[in-house]
Amino acid sequence: MTHIPFATNFVEPAGSPIRELFPYLSRPGMISLAGGYPSPSLFDTEGLQEAAARALSGPGALQYGATEGLPALREALALLCGARGITCSPADLIVTTGSQQAFDLLLRIFIAPGDTVCVETPAYPAAIQALRLADAQILSAPVDEQGLDVEALAERLQRLPVAQRPKLLYTVPSFSNPCGTLLPAARREALVRLALEYGFLIVEDDPYGELAFTDERPASLYAVGQRIAAEANPVLYLSSLSKTVAPGLRIGWMIAPADVLRRCVVAKQTMDLCTSPLAQQIAAEYLGAGRYPAGVERACAEYKKRMLALSSGLRAGLGSNIAFVQPQGGMFIWARVAVPVDAKRLFEAAVQCGVLYVPGAAFYPENPDLGTLRLSYAAPDVEQIREGVARLTKAFDQASTS
Ligand code: PMP
């Protein structure tokens, strides 16, 4: 135990509410519908082994690299973005250690204590955690079953004193974490126009956009910003290979204007000098080998199957006790308990019955809706999902009657 006082924000730091569930995971036989982990059965180990062997055959992977990222990977990521409808060159992006780091870099360069950041709520918990550590003033923006409610946000911004206007707005518009929603094209355009009107930047976090179960693929906010505002695009784009290749690579990236990237590079220099050149070289070799599109296609098919198993299981087992919108992509179902059940009791009963989910409170910066929960269908297989739902149904019965 040290006698040196910790910095204010680390005296009693709140850890990740999801990582705090980890001890339950090690209980024998536990079925987890909790974490946002991709399915290990989808990892292309053969392709990654080949990529790793090629990466290690040259010297570059074992040496320090440029903070901006390895040129070969920046090139491959620019091409990947092209396939997503985003026009960019390798110089328009930097490689980050997961997209999580990209968000943290943006907070470092833009946010002084007390600056306002608008966040769709419910939100990805690690984004809330990063904002708290940055001492940002968090402005919650409501969401509905289509994602961010842009009209409600516009009304809120209109009422807000100029000094409290946000500098940044954080959103996951495509198959969000936790709600699984897909923001419609009209709202995307309205949001970009709102950013231009009120002078804030949109941080578009897009780790799930390619994991689509239907052909409905609205253009990314970044592409909308390019179309509407060209050089004055108010959207910064973050993405990651974590959900489509493997999170163990820790490869993310950010597209932003040169003045933003330059400052992020300086901030990154003090964090990790550069993202692991070994991981970057493997990722570059992997993308270069052309195996990525087939991997994404496999993931979409498998996750759709698992999502359908979870949705139909919930409907059959819990019926009108639970309400949710069936997602069109991604990894999550966001559900609301439709009858009065104590949230703590339900969670305890679920753990007792051997199934884990994330209580919804984790996704709110304030005033949590305790009747909500996030269920992930990505990691367990269909059999495990069926058994998980059976256990959840039992937990529900126990919690409602005890
Ligand atoms: N953003 C969102 C919305 C996520 O769900 C996650 C991972 N759960 C991340 C960012 C972090 O991804 P990475 O592994 O690239 O840091």
Side-chain angles (χ1 to χ4, degrees), residues 98-100 124 170 172 177 205 207-208 240 242-243 250:
S99 56
Q100 183 65 38
Y124 171 49
Y170 173 83
V172 185
N177 180 0
D205 192 5
Y208 302 106
S240 170
S242 289
K243 312 296 175 172
R250 309 303 306 128

Side-chain angles (χ1 to χ4, degrees), residues 74-89 93 206 209-212 215 217-220 222-223 226 237 239 241 244 253 255 287 290 292-294 296:
R74 293 171 83 192
E75 223 161 274
L77 293 174
L79 276 177
L80 181 61
C81 286
R84 296 180 184 182
I86 290 172
T87 314
C88 71
S89 72
L93 65 85
D206 186 29
E210 287 180 325
L211 299 176
D215 289 334
R217 287 160 197 251
S220 65
Y222 188 86
Q226 278 187 316
Y237 182 81
S239 194
L241 296 184
T244 50
W253 69 99
I255 309 176
L287 293 173
Y292 183 85
V296 171

